[in-house]
Amino acid sequence: MLVISLRVEERGAAADPDELAPCPWGFADEGESVATAWLVLAVGDGRKHGGNSGYDDLPSEHYSWDSAVPHHAELTVGDVIALWDTTSLLGISVIEAIDTGQAVKDVFFCPSCSTSEFQPRKTKSPKYRCLKCKAEFDDQDRVAGSKPVTTYRSRHGRYWVDMPGVLSGAELRPLCDKPKTQHSLRSMRWEKLRAAITASGATTTIAIAEQAQRVLAGGHRQVTVRARIGQASFRRTLLEAHGEHCAFTGPTPAAALEAAHLYSYAGSGQHHSDGGLLLRRDVHRLFDLGLIAVDPGRFVLDVSPSLHGYVPYRQLHGQPLTTRLRREHRMWLAAHWDMHRKTSSTS
C-alpha cells in the first residue's frame, strides 16, 4: 500500500469518502447553524481573469484557486460547493478534499495604475477596463509580471449533482452572505441554498449533498490519504467473475461499471475479492452514501424515500439482486445496512 501525505482542511475524521461513519450535520447546538456553502464562479466566459492567466477548472470534478483570491483559505472539506457561470447554477457538490501546493503565478497589471483589478469586456473595445483608475487597454498593453502563490484545488466529483439552470444568477446572488460582492468565492448558508433549490420545483436531488455532509462532518486536522493501489486489478477480477453485469440493475456495459467495495477500504487498505461487487456508477455512488442498501433479511434492495421521486430508482425498491451472493458478500452487505439503516431509524 502506498501512503501519500496531503494537507487537507477537513470536517471529518475520515478523508476517504469510503469511510462512511454516520455523523449528525448542519447544527452544532440546537438552533445554531454551521452548514457552510460557497458559490464559486466557474471558468469560461463567466469567470473573468484579466489580471491572471486563468484556472484549469472542471466544474463537475474539481475547482482551482490561489492565495490571491479573497477567502482563499476559508473553504474546508465538508462544505457545500455550488458552481455558477454568473447567469445560472451549474451544479452542487460537497468538498471531499482540498489539495494545496506552491506555484509562481503569471499576473498582469494595468499600464496606468499597476493594479491587477481589471476585467475583460464582452463587446466593447478596448478589451479591458481597470476597475480602479478606469483606464482602457488591450492585451498587448497589459504589464506582465509574476508572484509566488499558494494553490488550492477542491476535489468534489464524487458527490456532484448537475443542476443547470435550476437557479438563475439573480436568484443566487441574494443568497450570499454579502450579496453585492464581486469575489469569485462567495460564502452563503447551506440552509438558504437548500430552500431555494427545493422551492424551484426542479426535478433534482439535494439528498446526495446532505448525506455527504454526514460522511464528512467533523473537525479540522492533518490527515493521511491512502492511494488505491490495485483498484484497476480489483475491477478486472470482478469483471472476470461477474461479466458486464451490475449486481443491482442487471446487464450493463463495462464502461459504466465500477468496482464497489462493500466494506470500508479506507479502514483496511485491502481489496478482498469477496468484498466487492460491480455496480453501475450512479448506483455505486448512492450505495456508498447509504441511499441504496440491501435488506439483510430478504436480500432485496432498499431505496431511501428521498429517491422515490425518481422513477428508475423507485422501481429498484424491493427488487432482488441480479447476481449470486457469497457468504462474505452477505456479511458485508449486512454491516452496510447496520451502518446506514439502523442509524437512520434511531437518530
Side-chain angles (χ1 to χ4, degrees):
M1 178 183 69
L2 174 64
V3 178
I4 302 175
S5 292
L6 295 176
R7 182 183 182 280
V8 297
E9 296 196 38
E10 177 188 28
R11 289 191 174 186
D16 193 313
D18 280 348
E19 193 70 35
L20 296 177
C23 303
W25 75 281
F27 297 91
D29 298 302
E30 185 175 354
E32 181 186 356
S33 171
V34 296
T36 300
W38 292 91
L39 181 65
V40 301
L41 188 59
V43 78
D45 292 339
R47 192 178 184 191
K48 301 174 182 178
H49 46 84
N52 64 71
S53 54
Y55 301 91
D56 58 341
D57 301 332
L58 179 59
S60 64
E61 297 288 340
H62 55 77
Y63 184 84
S64 300
W65 69 98
D66 57 53
S67 53
V69 177
H71 309 298
H72 60 270
E74 297 179 30
L75 282 72
T76 68
V77 167
D79 286 347
V80 173
I81 185 170
L83 282 86
W84 71 319
D85 60 4
T86 74
T87 61
S88 65
L89 181 66
L90 301 177
I92 69 168
S93 189
V94 176
I95 298 175
E96 305 158 36
I98 298 177
D99 303 330
T100 63
Q102 300 297 319
V104 176
K105 180 180 181 179
D106 294 329
V107 292
F108 299 93
F109 303 97
C110 169
S112 297
C113 68
S114 298
T115 183
S116 60
E117 297 180 10
F118 58 89
Q119 295 180 347
R121 302 188 290 188
K122 292 183 178 180
T123 57
K124 293 184 178 180
S125 183
K127 182 176 180 179
Y128 300 102
R129 184 172 188 268
C130 180
L131 300 178
K132 185 175 181 180
C133 73
K134 312 305 180 185
E136 298 178 351
F137 48 94
D138 286 313
D139 283 327
Q140 65 271 18
D141 301 317
R142 296 184 300 175
V143 177
S146 62
K147 65 178 179 180
V149 295
T150 299
T151 60
Y152 302 87
R153 173 180 282 189
S154 70
R155 286 188 273 131
H156 55 258
R158 186 170 191 134
Y159 305 115
W160 176 260
V161 178
D162 282 315
M163 294 188 178
V166 168
L167 296 175
S168 68
E171 292 171 314
L172 286 166
R173 290 183 183 92
L175 301 178
C176 298
D177 293 335
K178 296 182 178 179
K180 294 183 179 180
T181 183
Q182 297 297 312
H183 296 155
S184 294
L185 306 176
R186 312 181 191 199
S187 62
M188 59 171 56
R189 309 313 301 168
W190 164 235
E191 294 87 344
K192 288 185 177 181
L193 178 60
R194 182 190 191 281
I197 293 171
T198 301
S200 73
T203 305
T204 187
T205 182
I206 55 175
I208 289 177
E210 292 184 336
Q211 184 65 9
Q213 283 273 356
R214 295 179 185 271
V215 172
L216 297 168
H220 302 269
R221 67 172 187 153
Q222 190 96 356
V223 299
T224 299
V225 179
R226 286 191 177 118
R228 296 191 174 196
I229 303 302
Q231 179 72 11
S233 61
F234 178 57
R235 180 175 179 273
R236 284 196 298 272
T237 298
L238 292 178
L239 280 168
E240 290 172 0
H242 301 283
E244 296 184 354
H245 195 95
C246 171
F248 290 0
T249 64
T252 304
L257 290 171
E258 294 182 342
H261 291 90
L262 305 182
Y263 56 92
S264 171
Y265 174 81
S268 68
Q270 301 293 321
H271 296 288
H272 302 290
S273 59
D274 291 332
L277 290 171
L278 289 170
L279 295 179
R280 206 173 67 198
R281 185 179 183 184
D282 60 323
V283 173
H284 183 189
R285 178 194 287 191
L286 298 172
F287 174 78
D288 276 357
L289 293 171
L291 297 173
I292 295 178
V294 176
D295 185 330
R298 299 182 297 150
F299 285 94
V300 297
L301 297 175
D302 183 275
V303 178
S304 168
S306 65
L307 296 180
H308 286 189
Y310 302 88
V311 174
Y313 299 126
R314 185 176 70 240
Q315 290 176 338
L316 292 176
H317 187 71
Q319 294 298 311
L321 275 67
T322 63
T323 191
R324 295 184 62 181
L325 298 177
R326 299 174 65 90
R327 181 178 64 84
E328 292 84 354
H329 291 142
R330 295 173 182 269
M331 177 186 70
W332 293 120
L333 288 169
H336 178 272
W337 174 272
D338 288 345
M339 176 178 291
H340 292 285
R341 290 299 183 268
K342 285 191 175 181
T343 299
S344 62
S345 64
T346 59
S347 59

